[in-house]
């Protein structure tokens, strides 16, 4: 299957630049994965599609202000560092721009020396390992100096950092938001819970690997970067219980989907676990756990639109996307949502 099979034409003005004031007032396109039929609603109507006994799986990772602007200590040249993956002893895997200025041994100062880093190695695809030095608590320094790592297609400044996190974000560690969850409010989650839907919290720290463009012509040649996930005993029990009762498991976002599919055994059973996943889901994949998916509208030729196509079929998905363009839906991170049932 070719990468170009997942292309669609998107007018630039449909890329959402700002979040809506009311998270749950986004639009919702409902797609029947069997028939390809669509319906149009407001996101808060999602409660009408959830039944008692269903299990809603949410990713409670928290995006950190991972974008740091610093200067080279020797020349004063500006340099941008994006934190991707935390290692041991204050060493982070990072994406550095411009990379040519970040050779091993280069030292970078952030916030007039409040935080300093030294490039210690160059790893996969030119990413840099940087060892950071500071006094105090790293997270507090990052909150003071860092910026939210918004995708490059969002050109507006984000007024409120919290709007690039879900209302249930709990475990810091992501370089990008699990954006399907941005539509939920505490009130909507309470309404869903009162209906008898169990809400299972899982964690997958979203790295840039999820969003890297597919450069291979043949999608099977694309390699996903690893991301860390955790499922506790309570979440595993909720998901297993739904499957045992022939209720549905509805994942909020591709990251929740990839978490449960990575952790499940061959019978679709889950147990408490943690680890690293490089799972790449594309058409032909047989889902072991997931029944339905809540998701945003994804970039053309991305691994995310391939995952959605694995669930609902490429033709149905591309037809729904074309309809969303015609209906002037808002696309990508701060855009509208789709429910695949």
């Amino acid at each position: 299957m070719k990468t170009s099979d997942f292309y669609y034409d998107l007018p630039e003005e449909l890329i959402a630049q700002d979040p809506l004031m009311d998270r749950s007032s986004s639009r919702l396109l409902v797609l029947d994965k069997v028939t390809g039929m669509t319906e149009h609603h407001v996101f808060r109507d999602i409660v009408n599609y959830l039944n008692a006994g269903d299990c809603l799986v949410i990713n409670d990772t928290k995006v950190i202000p991972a974008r740091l602007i610093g200067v080279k200590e020797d020349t004063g040249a500006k340099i941008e560092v994006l934190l991707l993956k935390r290692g041991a002893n204050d060493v982070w895997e990072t994406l550095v721009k411009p990379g040519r200025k970040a050779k091993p041994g280069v030292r970078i100062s952030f916030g007039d020396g409040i935080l300093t880093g030294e490039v210690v190695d160059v790893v996969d695809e030119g990413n840099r390992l940087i060892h950071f030095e500071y006094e105090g608590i790293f997270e507090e320094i990052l909150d003071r100096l860092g910026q939210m790592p918004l995708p490059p297609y969002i050109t507006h400044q984000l007024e409120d950092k919290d709007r690039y996190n879900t209302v249930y974000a709990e475990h810091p560690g992501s370089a990008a938001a699990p954006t399907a969850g941005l539509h939920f409010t505490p009130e909507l989650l309470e309404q869903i819970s009162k209906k008898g839907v169990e809400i299972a919290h899982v964690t997958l720290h979203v790295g840039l690997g999820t969003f890297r463009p597919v450069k291979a012509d043949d999608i099977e040649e694309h390699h996903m970067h690893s991301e860390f996930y955790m499922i506790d005993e309570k979440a595993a029990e909720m998901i297993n219980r739904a499957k045992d009762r022939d209720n549905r498991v509805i994942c909020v976002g591709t990251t929740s989907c990839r978490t449960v599919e990575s952790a499940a055994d061959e019978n679709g059973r889950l147990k408490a676990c943690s680890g690293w996943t490089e799972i790449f889901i594309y058409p032909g994949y047989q889902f072991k756990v997931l029944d339905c998916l809540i998701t945003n509208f994804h970039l053309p030729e991305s691994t995310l639109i391939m995952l959605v196509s694995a669930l609902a079929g490429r033709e149905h998905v591309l037809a729904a996307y074309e309809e969303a363009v015609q209906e002037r839906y808002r696309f990508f991170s701060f855009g509208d949502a789709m429910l695949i049932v």
Side-chain angles (χ1 to χ4, degrees):
M1 193 165 277
K2 300 297 184 186
T3 300
S4 57
D5 291 337
F6 298 90
Y7 178 81
Y8 69 93
D9 192 32
L10 179 69
E12 191 173 338
E13 67 268 18
L14 296 185
I15 299 174
Q17 292 294 326
D18 302 289
L20 298 180
M21 288 292 291
D22 174 10
R23 290 173 182 259
S24 65
S25 65
S26 300
R27 296 168 76 185
L28 177 69
L29 188 152
V30 180
L31 171 64
D32 186 310
K33 61 179 181 280
V34 177
T35 66
M37 296 294 289
T38 58
E39 298 175 13
H40 300 279
H41 297 277
V42 176
F43 188 82
R44 66 178 70 92
D45 296 337
I46 196 103
V47 69
N48 299 326
Y49 289 89
L50 305 176
N51 303 321
D54 287 343
C55 183
L56 189 71
V57 183
I58 59 178
N59 180 8
D60 62 10
T61 188
K62 188 172 186 176
V63 184
I64 60 174
R67 184 171 176 257
L68 291 164
I69 307 298
V71 294
K72 286 180 65 180
E73 287 188 347
D74 55 352
T75 65
K78 180 181 172 182
I79 200 157
E80 180 180 324
V81 173
L82 182 64
L83 305 178
L84 297 179
K85 194 181 295 183
R86 190 173 204 157
N89 303 316
D90 291 312
V91 174
W92 283 76
E93 183 176 343
T94 68
L95 182 66
V96 178
K97 296 180 183 178
R100 66 181 185 279
K101 293 183 179 179
K103 296 175 181 175
V106 163
R107 292 186 59 83
I108 308 166
S109 174
F110 307 92
D112 295 323
I114 295 171
L115 177 68
T116 59
E118 181 176 337
V119 180
V120 295
D121 201 1
V122 180
V123 292
D124 292 348
E125 299 199 21
N127 290 351
R128 267 59 176 174
L129 295 184
I130 296 181
H131 175 250
F132 288 98
E133 299 169 15
Y134 53 91
E135 290 185 6
I137 299 171
F138 184 79
E139 287 75 15
E140 291 180 358
I141 294 170
L142 194 59
D143 200 48
R144 181 175 165 188
L145 300 180
Q147 302 172 20
M148 280 306 208
L150 295 179
Y153 51 75
I154 294 177
T155 57
H156 292 189
Q157 283 288 101
L158 185 63
E159 299 295 327
D160 179 2
K161 281 184 180 181
D162 288 341
R163 290 311 306 272
Y164 196 53
N165 266 311
T166 62
V167 296
Y168 47 77
E170 184 177 355
H171 301 290
S174 278
T179 55
L182 296 178
H183 305 283
F184 287 92
T185 62
E187 296 78 15
L188 183 56
L189 288 167
E190 184 179 355
Q191 194 179 354
I192 289 168
S193 184
K194 283 182 176 177
K195 195 171 182 181
V197 177
E198 292 200 291
I199 301 176
H201 290 239
V202 301
T203 306
L204 181 137
H205 292 319
V206 188
L208 291 190
T210 301
F211 303 96
R212 281 188 186 276
V214 179
K215 295 178 180 177
D217 291 334
D218 185 338
I219 66 172
E220 293 183 23
E221 295 175 7
H222 178 72
H223 174 69
M224 296 284 285
H225 285 244
S226 61
E227 295 167 314
F228 184 75
Y229 70 88
M230 298 180 290
I231 297 178
D232 65 18
E233 193 170 328
K234 183 180 179 183
E237 286 176 357
M238 284 183 178
I239 295 166
N240 290 338
R241 185 158 54 238
K243 301 302 284 187
D244 290 342
R245 295 175 177 174
D246 286 329
N247 293 112
R248 299 173 303 168
V249 173
I250 300 145
C251 288
V252 178
T254 57
T255 61
S256 298
C257 166
R258 293 175 65 242
T259 301
V260 298
E261 293 295 321
S262 296
D265 65 19
E266 61 273 10
N267 299 312
R269 303 290 295 178
L270 292 171
K271 60 183 180 181
C273 61
S274 63
W276 296 86
T277 180
E278 298 177 351
I279 191 171
F280 178 20
I281 296 175
Y282 53 86
Y285 180 84
Q286 297 297 311
F287 289 89
K288 296 176 286 187
V289 180
L290 173 140
D291 297 297
C292 307
L293 180 68
I294 299 168
T295 186
N296 277 21
F297 292 91
H298 304 296
L299 275 71
E301 301 184 337
S302 64
T303 61
L304 304 177
I305 195 172
M306 293 171 190
L307 183 153
V308 173
S309 297
L311 179 62
R314 184 181 70 91
E315 292 80 6
H316 288 167
V317 168
L318 290 179
Y321 271 53
E322 185 176 339
E323 186 173 334
V325 169
Q326 291 171 353
E327 295 290 331
R328 310 295 289 177
Y329 272 65
R330 301 163 73 250
F331 278 66
F332 305 162
S333 295
F334 288 140
D336 296 316
M338 174 187 277
L339 168 64
I340 301 173
V341 294

